[in-house]
Amino acid sequence: MNRFEGKVAVVTGGAMGIGAATVTRLASEGAVVYLADVDGTAAAEVAATAKGTVHFVHCDVSELAQWKALTERVMDEYGHVDTLVSNAYALRWGAAHELPEEHWHRVLDVTLKATYLGMAALAEQLTAACGSVVAVSSVHAHASMPGFTAYAAAKGGLSALVRQLAVEYAPAVRVNAVAPGPIRTRQWDSVAPAGIAEEAGRTLAGRLGRPEEVASAIAFLASDEASYITGAELPVDGGRLVRLS
Ligand SMILES: NC(=O)c1ccc[n+]([C@@H]2O[C@H](COP(=O)([O-])OP(=O)(O)OC[C@H]3O[C@@H](n4cnc5c(N)ncnc54)[C@H](O)[C@@H]3O)[C@@H](O)[C@H]2O)c1
């Protein structure tokens, strides 16, 4: 498939995990991809192995000035932006009485505010291109477990923000979300095999997902194949949320 031939995409948090799989997928389908991340070393590896054109741009997505610099660079180099994948996040643990206020702010800034900033920086370009946005939310937007105070709030806000942006920028820009369940990225590296097996058992699929499985859902929503889908959220969770027992 070459669904992104001639398109320019910006993928945040593209140096690892789901973001890296998305960069690789979009580039393999013809997109020029700007990988926006704070980790230049990991980003360089992704860019070197991807089949296609991948440019790294150092961007802390919680900073509007860095979004503006990114937008300027892409416009100077290609003159259009067709797709934004807002995927970067921050996670700090703690119940409300344990969570330092600065951790709350960091999680909300990187996980929620960044999508607003990305849209603020790129709205004009995405509108001109009749483009699309895909935000990476989470099952934590819809169901809870202890310790995820700030993350759950950020993801719940992100799911609502996606609907808001879809309304605001229609009909030119489609805005959708994916809501991954447990996906085998580095955040699972510290979990013991028994914990992984337990979580796998809570899904209908009986296993953790792969980053590529989320990337293919993101690519679908970003592509013209999803031309009549906007304001939607697609679970990519192996059935994690529909299971009662
Ligand atoms: N892995 C899972 O089980 C899971 C489940 C549900 C949702 N998600 C969501 O999927 C997305 C990706 O998760 P992952 O597990 O692939 O993550 P990951 O930790 O593998 O990769 C995250 C990337 O974001 C980058 N990043 C962090 N802070 C940044 C900042 N301020 N600016 C720019 N880049 C920054 C990191 O450098 C890294 O490359 C996140 O939105 C996460 O909430 C993941």
Side-chain angles (χ1 to χ4, degrees):
M1 279 187 287
N2 255 2
R3 295 177 293 188
F4 296 95
E5 203 65 62
K7 309 271 190 199
V8 175
V10 174
V11 179
T12 74
M16 285 180 207
I18 292 166
T22 303
V23 167
T24 303
R25 178 65 186 255
L26 297 184
S28 76
E29 288 200 40
V32 167
V33 183
Y34 281 81
L35 188 175
D37 207 292
V38 289
D39 186 338
T41 309
E45 271 179 51
V46 176
T49 52
K51 287 195 183 74
T53 308
V54 177
H55 302 289
F56 169 61
V57 49
H58 188 279
C59 175
D60 179 335
V61 293
S62 67
E63 301 284 339
L64 180 59
Q66 298 193 27
W67 273 107
K68 285 189 169 161
L70 178 156
T71 305
E72 220 167 278
R73 181 176 155 193
V74 183
M75 290 306 283
D76 280 353
E77 292 176 356
Y78 287 91
H80 58 108
V81 181
D82 305 273
T83 299
L84 168 63
V85 179
S86 188
N87 163 76
Y89 79 113
L91 181 58
R92 305 281 188 279
W93 304 93
H97 68 282
E98 300 162 332
L99 188 74
E101 194 178 352
E102 65 267 28
H103 288 192
W104 166 271
H105 284 305
R106 187 64 187 157
V107 173
L108 271 285
D109 284 356
V110 179
T111 312
L112 174 59
K113 188 180 83 172
T115 300
Y116 141 68
L117 293 179
M119 201 64 201
L122 289 168
E124 190 186 323
Q125 290 73 17
L126 288 165
T127 300
C130 287
S132 67
V133 176
V134 182
V136 181
S137 187
S138 168
V139 288
H140 287 270
H142 306 288
S144 299
M145 57 175 64
F148 286 87
T149 310
Y151 183 77
K155 291 298 189 181
L158 183 58
S159 290
L161 179 61
V162 161
R163 292 192 296 274
Q164 175 64 29
L165 296 176
V167 168
E168 202 82 57
Y169 294 98
V173 186
R174 294 183 305 101
V175 185
N176 292 293
V178 292
I183 308 298
R184 195 72 165 91
T185 62
R186 64 174 173 165
Q187 60 182 268
W188 290 91
D189 289 351
S190 57
V191 179
I196 302 261
E198 194 182 334
E199 183 59 22
R202 292 191 184 120
T203 69
L204 299 182
R207 62 175 175 82
L208 268 55
R210 296 188 299 276
E212 294 75 18
E213 292 176 304
V214 186
S216 73
I218 292 170
F220 164 68
L221 288 172
S223 79
D224 289 345
E225 281 192 291
S227 52
Y228 202 54
I229 302 175
T230 191
E233 185 170 294
L234 179 60
V236 189
D237 66 353
R240 175 71 173 83
L241 276 192
V242 296
R243 180 161 203 155
L244 274 180
S245 64

